[in-house]
Amino acid sequence: MTSPVSTEAASDSLQPQPAPAAAVEETADSKLKALFGILRRFIGVADIATVRFSLPSQLLEPIPNLEYWNYLDRPETFASIGDSEDELGRFLAVLRFWFTKDLKFVKGKPCKPYNSTLGEFFRCSWDVTETLPPPPTVSRPVTAASAEVTSQHANSTSSVKSTTKTEGPVRVSFLTEQTSHHPPISAFVVECPEKGITARGYDQISAKFTGTAIRVTPGVHNLGIFITLHNRDDELYRLTHPSAHLGGFLKGSLSLYVQDQSFVTCPKTKLKCILNYLSDSWIGKAKHRVEGVVYHYDHEEDNIDKIKDVPKEAIRAYIEGSWMSQIYYVLPGSTTKHLLLDLDPLFPAPKSCPPEADMLPNESRKVWEGVTEAITSKQFSKATNLKQEIEERQRVKAAERAEKNEEWKPRFFVAPALAAGQPALSADGELVMKNLQMGKFDISSTCKEPW
């Protein structure tokens, strides 16, 4: 799911118009009213994600955008994706990861992190000591070997409540960099070398204010999350983001709802999943329901986009549940519900970041440390001033590059090949990821130029 309120500032056509800091009180209700008043200016704007506007610091969550949206809230689900000997088991493990990637929002609240500055980057890692068992797929084994493996879990109805200790910590590393400011785009990569798993993609959103809610959709360069299982003959999975709506401004309580489709596709195994995020009734508590099917397609390209059009004989699993609570799957020919994931007891796992002494000037926490300190100590006027200074430095640098006719290039990723949707690491990016795996953080000696 794309970030519902992590809107980047981009356009040169409008100058920042921050609201007076003293005019905003600290209550949640007044914050929403203030934000609603600012958003009303953008009714009719096709994409407010391309408009430059500066929010007062009271309306911001004191965390950088690149740090907040990392998709690794439960890294053990990522590290477990390729463990099954069965292709359906691996596919279900991809879905298990998919439904945990926004756990921070499920357990928290919609918030507005800091906008990312051009060239800003964030890096961190997680050490996974316990992985999850492969989802049972015994009713549809692919081979005799896979049937033997999956039969070990035939009587299990839960694939997330039990865990398997690894021989040693399995490290998952993450790197992201703001690679474009017009439009705002960031590239990211996730690696788990011990398990042979890589994920990559571009984050970009498009947002429109309807008058009562914000509708957020993936930007044109955001083609989803691409996961590669190197130990499984380079199986590639593409996971596309659904659109989301953020409302509740008038009621004084923000709420997120999703009524869209998402697709997960693996061309090598020719397995595909259609996920339907269903609308809730205005009456009663929101259920955040999702339903879907995993099926096998025979053609090189599969154009089915509706569950009702999937041939029954091609279905490998049915998906149902709540994307904010429990997700189940049912295998064809069976009525047994297998628990794929229970989000209720889960919370985002803490990340390991470089010590402050090893952070570069354009590392997210370093860029925004003054603003964060001011917000957390409730010095909002100071925070707003520091935030505006950062934004002004970015404008000055952009003007200088334009005057010299210089093209800015990212440091950790190859100049974006946006059409492919899969960013490639530069030599510096590969070094950062290698060092993260070894617990090394000092990369100042490789810095090409000061930020």
Side-chain angles (χ1 to χ4, degrees):
M1 185 183 307
T2 52
S3 167
V5 283
S6 179
T7 306
E8 303 288 349
S11 174
D12 286 323
S13 60
L14 295 178
Q15 292 300 313
Q17 301 177 24
V24 185
E25 298 179 7
E26 297 177 27
T27 66
D29 183 64
S30 61
K31 286 183 179 181
L32 286 181
K33 289 179 179 178
L35 180 58
F36 181 71
I38 293 172
L39 290 173
R40 289 179 63 183
R41 306 204 311 259
F42 301 103
I43 294 177
V45 176
D47 186 2
I48 62 175
T50 64
V51 177
R52 174 182 292 160
F53 64 100
S54 183
L55 292 176
S57 60
Q58 294 96 321
L59 303 182
L60 299 174
E61 190 73 13
I63 185 172
N65 182 69
L66 295 182
E67 176 178 355
Y68 189 73
W69 291 104
N70 58 60
Y71 302 134
L72 270 296
D73 288 338
R74 299 301 303 189
E76 76 276 15
T77 63
F78 181 78
S80 305
I81 287 175
D83 288 353
S84 177
E85 296 298 325
D86 180 90
E87 62 183 29
L88 178 59
R90 294 191 294 275
F91 197 98
L92 291 170
V94 170
L95 293 179
R96 183 168 57 189
F97 157 76
W98 171 258
F99 286 111
T100 65
K101 72 180 182 64
D102 293 318
L103 184 63
K104 67 180 73 62
F105 171 74
V106 173
K107 294 298 182 178
K109 60 181 180 180
C111 69
K112 177 64 179 74
Y114 309 132
N115 284 341
S116 304
T117 60
L118 186 63
E120 180 183 333
F121 77 101
F122 179 78
R123 52 181 168 148
C124 68
S125 62
W126 298 261
D127 285 340
V128 176
T129 57
E130 294 181 334
T131 56
L132 303 178
T137 60
V138 65
S139 66
R140 286 295 180 96
V142 177
T143 63
S146 66
E148 181 179 352
V149 172
T150 55
S151 66
Q152 299 173 9
H153 304 285
N155 296 322
S156 171
T157 59
S158 170
S159 63
V160 74
K161 289 186 177 180
S162 59
T163 56
T164 303
K165 285 189 176 294
T166 59
E167 294 181 0
V170 175
R171 181 159 292 174
V172 178
S173 298
F174 171 75
L175 173 66
T176 181
E177 180 181 18
Q178 192 73 13
T179 55
S180 172
H181 198 56
H182 303 287
I185 302 169
S186 60
F188 69 88
V189 64
V190 185
E191 290 183 352
C192 184
E194 290 94 334
K195 292 298 192 80
I197 309 174
T198 301
R200 63 185 73 240
Y202 289 103
D203 275 331
Q204 181 204 10
I205 65 170
S206 175
K208 182 179 178 64
F209 185 60
T210 64
T212 57
I214 300 175
R215 183 175 186 267
V216 181
T217 59
V220 295
H221 301 299
N222 184 342
L223 303 184
I225 302 173
F226 294 83
I227 299 175
T228 302
L229 304 184
H230 302 290
N231 296 341
R232 299 293 180 181
D233 197 22
D234 288 333
E235 284 180 0
L236 177 66
Y237 298 79
R238 180 188 176 192
L239 303 79
T240 66
H241 300 284
S243 61
H245 292 78
L246 183 69
F249 294 97
L250 298 177
K251 295 180 180 179
S253 177
L254 286 181
S255 59
L256 180 75
Y257 62 96
V258 182
Q259 185 180 354
D260 198 12
Q261 288 187 312
S262 180
F263 302 93
V264 181
T265 309
C266 179
K268 185 171 289 290
T269 62
K270 286 187 165 40
L271 289 177
K272 179 179 176 180
C273 179
I274 301 175
L275 291 174
N276 276 352
Y277 291 82
L278 306 175
S279 61
D280 285 303
S281 170
W282 289 101
I283 302 175
K285 186 178 180 180
K287 297 181 175 61
H288 306 290
R289 294 177 300 151
V290 63
E291 64 179 18
V293 293
V294 179
Y295 65 98
H296 186 274
Y297 61 93
D298 295 323
H299 307 289
E300 287 301 315
E301 295 291 336
D302 177 79
N303 297 318
I304 297 176
D305 59 6
K306 291 181 175 59
I307 292 178
K308 65 180 181 66
D309 295 332
V310 177
K312 186 175 182 179
E313 62 273 14
I315 295 176
R316 303 287 299 276
Y318 298 90
I319 309 297
E320 62 179 78
S322 168
W323 57 269
M324 278 197 166
S325 187
Q326 290 90 24
I327 300 292
Y328 299 90
Y329 68 96
V330 178
L331 299 172
S334 170
T335 58
T336 301
K337 282 188 177 182
H338 296 269
L339 178 62
L340 181 66
L341 183 68
D342 184 3
L343 293 171
D344 288 349
L346 301 181
F347 288 87
K351 60 181 78 72
S352 177
C353 297
E356 186 176 349
D358 290 330
M359 289 185 183
L360 296 186
N362 58 327
E363 204 143 354
S364 288
R365 290 188 176 183
K366 200 73 171 176
V367 173
W368 299 100
E369 64 177 347
V371 179
T372 298
E373 291 173 0
I375 291 178
T376 53
S377 61
K378 299 189 183 302
Q379 300 180 65
F380 296 118
S381 294
K382 179 180 178 181
T384 298
N385 290 336
L386 291 172
K387 175 175 170 290
Q388 291 174 344
E389 289 176 7
I390 294 172
E391 294 165 347
E392 180 59 27
R393 283 200 300 270
Q394 289 293 301
R395 286 190 287 272
V396 170
K397 290 182 179 181
E400 290 175 350
R401 288 193 298 269
E403 184 178 350
K404 297 176 182 179
N405 198 27
E406 291 180 353
E407 180 183 1
W408 182 88
K409 293 183 179 180
R411 177 186 173 192
F412 301 111
F413 292 87
V414 178
L418 295 175
Q422 303 181 60
L425 288 169
S426 66
D428 275 0
E430 292 177 353
L431 178 62
V432 168
M433 296 301 286
K434 181 179 179 181
N435 285 347
L436 280 174
Q437 287 297 317
M438 297 185 295
K440 297 180 180 180
F441 301 108
D442 185 7
I443 57 172
S444 57
S445 60
T446 67
C447 192
K448 298 176 181 178
E449 59 183 28
W451 179 69

